[in-house]
Amino acid sequence: LHWVCALVPLQSCQCLAWKPHPVVSRGAESQHVVAGYSDGTIRVFSVSRTEMELKMHPHAVAVTAIAYSTDGEMILSGAKDGLVAVSSSHTGMTIRVLADHKGSPITVLQCTRKQYRDFGVEGGELWLATSSDRRVSIWASNWVKNTCELLDWLSFPAPAGPEGLGSLPPSLAAFCPWEPGTLVYVGFGMQKEALFYSLHKKQVVERVPLPYFATALSLSPAARFMAVGFSERLLRLLPCPAGAPQDYAGHDDAVHCCSFAPSGRRLLTASYSAVLLWELTRG
């Protein structure tokens, strides 16, 4: 994305998110990407026209996580100070600021369409925010009515940080595509594991052991597979539930990012100096 970097030469891009593809009857509409920067600004770019369309400044510090709402109408952004802002993707106006995670950097924001109506709250969308202090908040929202209600609040325990470790592994969470009402969490904790938490039962329903503390997480939208990256230069592909793990050592540094394609047939992973594209075969 050289054109993005050229347009913002003095700021560091901290996070990116693609706008959900609209459903159109004819033709394809221009695609958009939103980027969060180290000065607290957010910029929306048109990929087809290779130009910036909108700039907003909802944060006073670096933006550390960003996501579109499922309909693409709103942009959710999280910052280093723990504040989460909800802004219009059309006007750039910030309509809501949430301070529930204040004091701890936001590491993940994710939105999903509400699969069930038995949570006892209104709204057609669920979204989660994860902060580096191992807390996860889950919300139900109706952006048309400007409503946003806290559905659940999770806090995962951990021992004292080990001596000599410069920084703790990140706290990461994601909605589970094949188990509606369930999210997966990884982070520094009592054990090296991935936790499956049910929003319906209000408890952890499955624990998947890991060889190390995770540094990256992605769940396939098309199959029961989970990709987990580690600082030990290892990528693990896990069939769920309880399948035999497949380990791959193709990176030259810590795996800090992994992301399944919407088809679930490809996986992107990134380390300090390498981005790898994996083709997933059947069987």
Side-chain angles (χ1 to χ4, degrees):
L1 294 176
H2 296 291
W3 56 274
V4 174
C5 296
L7 288 170
V8 193
L10 300 180
Q11 297 300 328
S12 171
C13 180
Q14 306 288 301
C15 46
L16 290 166
W18 285 94
K19 184 175 183 178
H21 197 280
V23 179
V24 292
S25 57
R26 293 182 180 180
E29 295 186 359
S30 61
Q31 292 181 322
H32 293 81
V33 64
V34 63
Y37 289 86
S38 54
D39 63 349
T41 59
I42 294 173
R43 292 167 171 84
V44 177
F45 297 94
S46 168
V47 177
S48 60
R49 292 196 297 271
T50 64
E51 65 181 20
M52 185 179 73
E53 291 190 347
L54 185 65
K55 176 185 175 181
M56 59 195 88
H57 202 159
H59 299 282
V61 295
V63 181
T64 53
I66 200 160
Y68 271 99
S69 61
T70 55
D71 60 7
E73 296 297 308
M74 297 296 170
I75 297 172
L76 285 71
S77 56
K80 190 175 181 180
D81 58 7
L83 297 183
V84 175
V86 182
S87 308
S88 168
S89 65
H90 300 288
T91 67
M93 180 180 297
T94 298
I95 62 172
R96 184 183 292 265
V97 176
L98 302 171
D100 299 72
H101 289 270
K102 186 176 182 180
S104 184
I106 302 298
T107 54
V108 177
L109 290 168
Q110 186 190 11
C111 301
T112 186
R113 294 193 185 279
K114 191 175 176 181
Q115 295 109 336
Y116 289 125
R117 299 182 180 275
D118 57 355
F119 288 115
V121 292
E122 294 185 359
E125 179 169 289
L126 295 181
W127 63 274
L128 64 79
T130 307
S131 50
S132 60
D133 57 359
R134 302 174 303 280
R135 294 185 298 168
V136 182
S137 59
I138 300 94
W139 306 78
S141 298
N142 186 327
W143 303 120
V144 175
K145 297 182 179 180
N146 193 22
T147 60
C148 187
E149 185 174 348
L150 182 65
L151 180 64
D152 209 338
W153 181 266
L154 313 178
S155 182
F156 295 93
E163 296 182 5
L165 190 63
S167 60
L168 295 177
S171 301
L172 305 172
F175 289 109
C176 185
W178 60 83
E179 289 290 347
T182 301
L183 63 86
V184 179
Y185 170 86
V186 295
F188 181 65
M190 308 304 292
Q191 303 291 333
K192 301 177 180 70
E193 59 188 359
L195 304 176
F196 285 70
Y197 179 88
S198 170
L199 297 173
H200 301 286
K201 298 180 180 179
K202 305 289 186 181
Q203 65 183 30
V204 174
V205 293
E206 185 181 355
R207 298 174 183 266
V208 177
L210 301 173
Y212 313 102
F213 287 116
T215 53
L217 173 71
S218 183
L219 279 67
S220 171
R224 292 173 173 262
F225 278 96
M226 177 170 63
V228 186
F230 306 96
S231 60
E232 288 75 12
R233 308 180 183 183
L234 180 71
L235 172 70
R236 170 165 286 193
L237 191 63
L238 277 161
C240 298
Q246 305 170 45
D247 290 339
Y248 302 93
H251 286 279
D252 58 356
D253 208 327
V255 182
H256 61 75
C257 177
C258 58
S259 178
F260 277 102
S263 66
R265 304 304 301 169
R266 291 182 175 181
L267 175 69
L268 274 174
T269 61
S271 59
Y272 177 76
S273 60
V275 177
L276 302 183
L277 176 63
W278 306 82
E279 191 81 25
L280 305 179
T281 58
R282 296 186 182 274

